[in-house]
């Protein structure tokens, strides 16, 4: 689990870094501009790291399924070679998804308005700027993103359905430990896939709520992920309690 958590944290940092620095600069600047190349790179980065994160979360659900439903075979099934192959697959899948999105947008002509109604370059807002019919491109973009979001969600649903069914055969203590292990991952999945489903599993349209939803899955969720996972760890909680009591003790002595 911690093997995949390391890379999930890395992807979260990269995902936020694609949009957050430019957004902060734009908040302080009068002229909010981005070059065409910069826009395409940002579009690629958002979809590359976002798609990779969705695949990593799916792989982590499978990892929890094996750990809970087949504990005696866990080390055999989830050996280092298989873990590395699955991780490589998440990166390759993210790259293929994002390169398709960028390829669909790059070939469009842009000759009209150049003002994006968003705080970063995403597919749907950029398609609105094209001075040609983008219906077919919009359908392909939605199919590309929707297939990944829906496919990942179905695999997650199947994994946790099997886990919940298998828990009926375990003791109360076993069920408590298994649910405790899965709770943090389920929370992260809901926070990530909820906004992504709203954004990308729909026709090529934009809503006023898009910017708020996008901030949630590009900045807020990556920021909360480390807190959610670390606060479920007993060792981290013990260390935080020691620091808290030490601080209280020092303040009491200082007074």
């Amino acid at each position: 689990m911690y093997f995949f958590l390391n890379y999930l944290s890395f992807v979260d940092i990269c995902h936020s870094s694609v949009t957050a620095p430019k957004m902060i600069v734009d908040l302080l600047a009068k002229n909010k501009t981005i070059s065409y190349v910069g826009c395409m790179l940002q579009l690629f980065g958002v979809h590359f790291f976002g798609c990779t994160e969705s695949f990593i979360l799916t792989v982590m659900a499978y990892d929890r399924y094996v750990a809970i439903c087949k504990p005696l075979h866990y080390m055999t099934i989830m050996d280092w070679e298989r873990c590395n192959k699955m991780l490589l697959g998440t990166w390759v899948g993210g790259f293929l998804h994002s390169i398709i999105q960028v390829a669909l947008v790059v070939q469009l002509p842009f000759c009209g308005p150049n003002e994006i109604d968003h705080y970063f370059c995403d597919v749907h807002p950029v398609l609105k700027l094209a001075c040609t019919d983008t219906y077919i491109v919009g359908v392909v973009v939605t199919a590309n993103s929707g297939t990944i979001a829906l496919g990942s969600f179905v695999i997650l649903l199947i994994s946790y359905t099997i886990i919940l069914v298998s828990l009926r055969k375990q003791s109360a203590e076993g069920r408590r430990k298994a649910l405790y292990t899965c709770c943090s991952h389920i929370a992260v999945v809901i926070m990530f896939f909820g906004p992504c489903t709203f954004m990308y599993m729909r026709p090529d349209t934009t809503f006023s709520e898009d910017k708020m939803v996008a901030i949630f899955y590009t900045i807020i969720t990556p920021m909360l992920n480390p807190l959610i996972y670390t606060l479920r760890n007993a060792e981290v909680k013990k260390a935080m309690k020691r620091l808290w009591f030490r601080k209280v003790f020092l303040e009491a002595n200082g007074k």
Side-chain angles (χ1 to χ4, degrees):
M1 181 177 70
Y2 291 106
F3 172 77
F4 293 115
L5 271 178
N6 287 333
Y7 288 97
L8 179 66
S9 300
F10 174 72
V11 170
D12 278 336
I13 293 170
C14 296
H15 196 192
S16 296
S17 300
V18 172
T19 57
K22 185 69 174 71
M23 184 183 71
I24 294 170
V25 170
D26 286 344
L27 288 173
L28 300 174
K30 289 184 178 180
N31 296 322
K32 303 168 178 58
T33 60
I34 186 170
S35 66
Y36 176 78
V37 174
C39 185
M40 293 300 106
L41 288 174
Q42 195 176 58
L43 191 153
F44 175 84
V46 167
H47 283 268
F48 175 57
F49 293 114
C51 183
T52 302
E53 181 167 352
S54 71
F55 286 149
I56 290 177
L57 289 172
T58 306
V59 169
M60 288 174 69
Y62 175 74
D63 175 72
R64 293 301 84 206
Y65 156 74
V66 177
I68 293 170
C69 298
K70 301 181 180 181
L72 299 179
H73 301 282
Y74 180 78
M75 296 305 295
T76 304
I77 297 173
M78 299 299 291
D79 58 11
W80 285 113
E81 183 181 359
R82 179 163 296 179
C83 286
N84 285 316
K85 286 181 179 178
M86 293 172 78
L87 185 66
L88 178 62
T90 64
W91 288 101
V92 172
F95 177 80
L96 291 175
H97 163 72
S98 54
I99 205 70
I100 290 172
Q101 302 290 74
V102 173
L104 290 170
V105 175
V106 165
Q107 48 91 28
L108 295 174
F110 296 96
C111 53
N114 60 354
E115 213 172 286
I116 298 174
D117 186 23
H118 215 310
Y119 74 92
F120 68 90
C121 291
D122 203 359
V123 177
H124 294 313
V126 172
L127 286 180
K128 290 180 68 177
L129 305 183
C131 50
T132 186
D133 183 20
T134 60
Y135 175 76
I136 295 177
V137 174
V139 170
V140 177
V141 164
T142 303
N144 184 17
S145 301
T147 301
I148 290 171
L150 183 61
S152 299
F153 181 74
V154 168
I155 294 172
L156 287 162
L157 193 63
I158 292 171
S159 296
Y160 280 107
T161 300
I162 295 172
I163 288 172
L164 291 173
V165 170
S166 68
L167 290 180
R168 294 187 301 178
K169 303 175 184 178
Q170 298 188 18
S171 63
E173 181 65 16
R175 286 197 294 270
R176 188 189 68 79
K177 287 183 178 179
L179 290 172
Y180 187 84
T181 303
C182 295
C183 276
S184 54
H185 187 253
I186 292 173
V188 170
V189 165
I190 291 171
M191 287 195 307
F192 183 79
F193 277 95
C196 285
T197 301
F198 174 79
M199 291 291 294
Y200 299 112
M201 285 188 63
R202 71 182 195 210
D204 180 26
T205 54
T206 56
F207 300 113
S208 58
E209 297 85 3
D210 286 353
K211 291 188 279 293
M212 181 182 67
V213 175
I215 287 177
F216 199 85
Y217 74 84
T218 57
I219 297 175
I220 296 176
T221 300
M223 180 183 66
L224 292 177
N225 283 354
L227 293 174
I228 292 171
Y229 281 111
T230 54
L231 291 177
R232 304 290 296 182
N233 186 287
E235 293 179 4
V236 174
K237 286 194 286 188
K238 287 178 182 178
M240 291 180 68
K241 286 179 181 178
R242 285 197 299 268
L243 287 172
W244 174 254
F245 287 131
R246 187 184 304 170
K247 181 181 178 182
V248 172
F249 178 75
L250 290 173
E251 287 180 354
N253 286 344
K255 291 179 180 178

